Amino acid sequence: MARIALPMLSKTGASPIAHSIRTCQVPQSKPKSPRNITVKSGSGLTKDFDLKEYSKPLIESVNRELHSLIPLSNDRIEEAMRYSVIGGGGKRSCPLMCIAACEAVGGQREEALPVACALEMIYAASLILDDLPCMDDDSLRRGRPSTHAVFGPGAAIRASDALCALAFHHIARPCAALRPERALKVVYELAKAGGSTGMVGGQYMELASAGTPFIDPALVEYIHLNKLALMAEISLVSGGIVGGGSDEEVQRLRAYGRAVGLAYQIVDDMLDQGRTTEELGKTAGKDKIVGKATYLELYGMERCREIVVELVQRAQRYISQFDPLHALPLVSFAQFVVSRNFDSITG
C-alpha cells in the first residue's frame, strides 16, 4: 500500500517531542516576580492538594449545565446527543482543564463554565466519530455500548454534527458570565482546531492509515497531536482567554496543553493494551482491532513511558511562572497523567 500523503510534516522520523516544541513556542521573557512551582509529586504545595476534591464540584456544575442544554426528548438525534454527552458520565477532563486554566490566570470559574460545557460537547462529538471504524455491536464507550451501536451510524454521525453546532451556539449566545470579545476569540480558536488541519484532519489520517504495514513516525505524531492533545490544548487556551490571561500566559497554557495532552494520549494507547474492557470502560484492544498507528506500536512500552515523563516535565515547566496557588490544579493534573496510569500498566 502506498504511503499516505502527510500534510505539513516531513517524514524524517524526528523525535516524538520535537514537533510539539517547534510548533508551540512560548515567550522567553522573565516575569517581573519569578515564581517556580515544585513539580515533584508529594512535595511542597502539591502534597496537600486533592485533585479529586477540587474536581468534584466543578464536574457537578458542568453536568447540571449539560442537562439543561440537552433536555430529555423524543427526537432520536437529540436522544443520541444526550446519550453521548450525559450518558455514562465521563471524566470531564476538557471542562476541568478549561476551568483550571481560567483560574490559573486569575479568572473566575463562572466565566469558564459556558466554554467548558461547549468543549465537552465537542469532545463527545469527536468520540462518536472515533468509534465508527469499529462497527461491531459490542463496541463500548464510558462503560456502555457506543452511540453508533445504540442509535446506528447515521444517527450517531448527525448527533456528532449537532453537538458541534450546539457547542458554538452556547458560546456565541448572549451570556452575562462571558464577555463578547473573549467569546469571539474562543470561537476562532475552536473553529481553527476543528478544521481539516486540526481534529478533522487528524481523525481522517488515523482512519486512512489504519491497517497500513508501514508506520511513519511523522504520521503517528501528526495523528496524536491532532487528537486528544489538540483537545487539551484548546481547552487550556480557551480557559486562559475567558479568564483574561495575557498573550504570554495563553501561549504558555497552549504549550502546556499540547505537551500534557500528548502524554495523556500516549498513556491511553498504553492502557488500551494493558487493561481489560471492564477496567477501561471502553473496548480494550480496539487500536489493534482497527490497526491504528500508535506510539506504542512505534516505540514500545518502555520508550513510551520515558516519552510521557519527558512531556509531563516539559508541561510543568511551561506553567512554572504562574502563581503557584492558582496553578496547583494544572500541576496536579500533569502528575496525575503519569501516576494513575503507570501503576496499572504492565510491562
Side-chain angles (χ1 to χ4, degrees):
M1 183 177 294
R3 293 188 184 182
I4 298 167
L6 189 64
M8 300 185 296
L9 288 181
S10 62
K11 297 176 180 174
T12 59
S15 162
I17 306 178
H19 180 67
S20 62
I21 298 172
R22 289 197 306 271
T23 58
C24 198
Q25 299 295 327
V26 297
Q28 298 301 312
S29 60
K30 294 182 179 180
K32 294 180 181 178
S33 301
R35 295 166 294 190
N36 294 322
I37 296 176
T38 304
V39 301
K40 293 182 180 179
S41 178
S43 63
L45 292 168
T46 60
K47 68 178 181 180
D48 296 322
F49 180 79
D50 191 326
L51 183 61
K52 184 176 181 179
E53 288 301 310
Y54 169 82
S55 302
K56 186 177 178 180
L58 300 185
I59 292 173
E60 290 173 353
S61 297
V62 169
N63 286 341
R64 282 195 301 269
E65 186 88 350
L66 290 171
H67 273 280
S68 67
L69 288 171
I70 314 173
L72 289 170
S73 171
N74 291 324
D75 182 273
R76 189 161 180 79
I77 301 301
E78 291 181 349
E79 280 188 56
M81 293 167 64
R82 187 176 177 87
Y83 183 91
S84 302
V85 176
I86 299 171
K91 294 183 288 290
R92 309 302 189 213
S93 297
C94 292
L96 289 175
M97 285 188 284
C98 176
I99 294 170
C102 176
E103 294 182 332
V105 299
Q108 301 298 312
R109 58 184 58 177
E110 293 78 13
E111 297 176 292
L113 186 58
V115 176
C117 292
L119 286 162
E120 184 65 18
M121 288 187 280
I122 291 172
Y123 181 56
S126 73
L127 292 181
I128 292 173
L129 298 181
D130 196 45
D131 287 335
L132 286 172
C134 189
M135 291 297 293
D136 58 279
D137 290 339
D138 294 328
S139 178
L140 296 178
R141 174 67 68 178
R142 293 175 173 173
R144 308 186 315 163
S146 62
T147 304
H148 77 259
V150 175
F151 295 91
I157 291 171
R158 284 158 181 80
S160 177
D161 292 340
L163 283 170
C164 288
L166 180 58
F168 280 100
H169 175 268
H170 190 52
I171 297 172
R173 68 186 177 86
C175 176
L178 183 58
R179 300 183 187 183
E181 67 276 12
R182 295 177 183 176
L184 181 61
K185 288 182 180 180
V186 171
V187 166
Y188 170 80
E189 291 285 348
L190 284 174
K192 182 175 67 172
S196 60
T197 58
M199 286 186 290
V200 170
Q203 285 184 316
Y204 170 75
M205 294 304 295
E206 181 177 61
L207 181 63
S209 64
T212 57
F214 176 80
I215 302 178
D216 190 326
L219 172 63
V220 175
E221 184 177 357
Y222 178 83
I223 291 170
H224 278 56
L225 285 173
N226 286 282
K227 289 178 61 183
L228 201 146
L230 187 54
M231 277 303 308
E233 176 186 332
I234 201 63
S235 298
L236 272 295
V237 167
S238 298
I241 290 171
V242 299
S246 67
D247 290 344
E248 177 177 337
E249 288 173 325
V250 170
Q251 281 302 97
R252 290 187 178 279
L253 289 169
R254 187 187 300 278
Y256 166 92
R258 182 171 298 192
V260 82
L262 181 55
Y264 202 102
Q265 180 66 66
I266 295 171
V267 171
D268 259 11
D269 293 343
M270 296 164 73
L271 289 171
D272 185 71
Q273 178 171 304
R275 281 186 175 182
T276 65
T277 295
E278 290 71 23
E279 290 171 325
L280 290 174
K282 61 181 180 180
T283 306
K286 190 174 69 173
D287 292 347
K288 277 189 172 294
I289 293 172
V290 299
K292 288 184 179 180
T294 67
Y295 271 74
L296 189 59
E297 290 295 321
L298 189 62
Y299 296 106
M301 186 71 76
E302 289 307 314
R303 178 56 184 142
C304 281
R305 287 173 183 259
E306 295 170 356
I307 292 170
V308 168
V309 171
E310 291 170 26
L311 284 166
V312 168
Q313 291 174 342
R314 184 174 299 279
Q316 292 181 323
R317 286 197 294 272
Y318 286 137
I319 58 171
S320 64
Q321 296 182 39
F322 284 93
D323 182 281
L325 289 175
H326 289 168
L328 265 178
L330 296 181
V331 176
S332 183
F333 185 82
Q335 294 169 350
F336 167 79
V337 170
V338 176
S339 62
R340 82 168 180 105
N341 294 309
F342 280 9
D343 290 344
S344 60
I345 296 172
T346 58

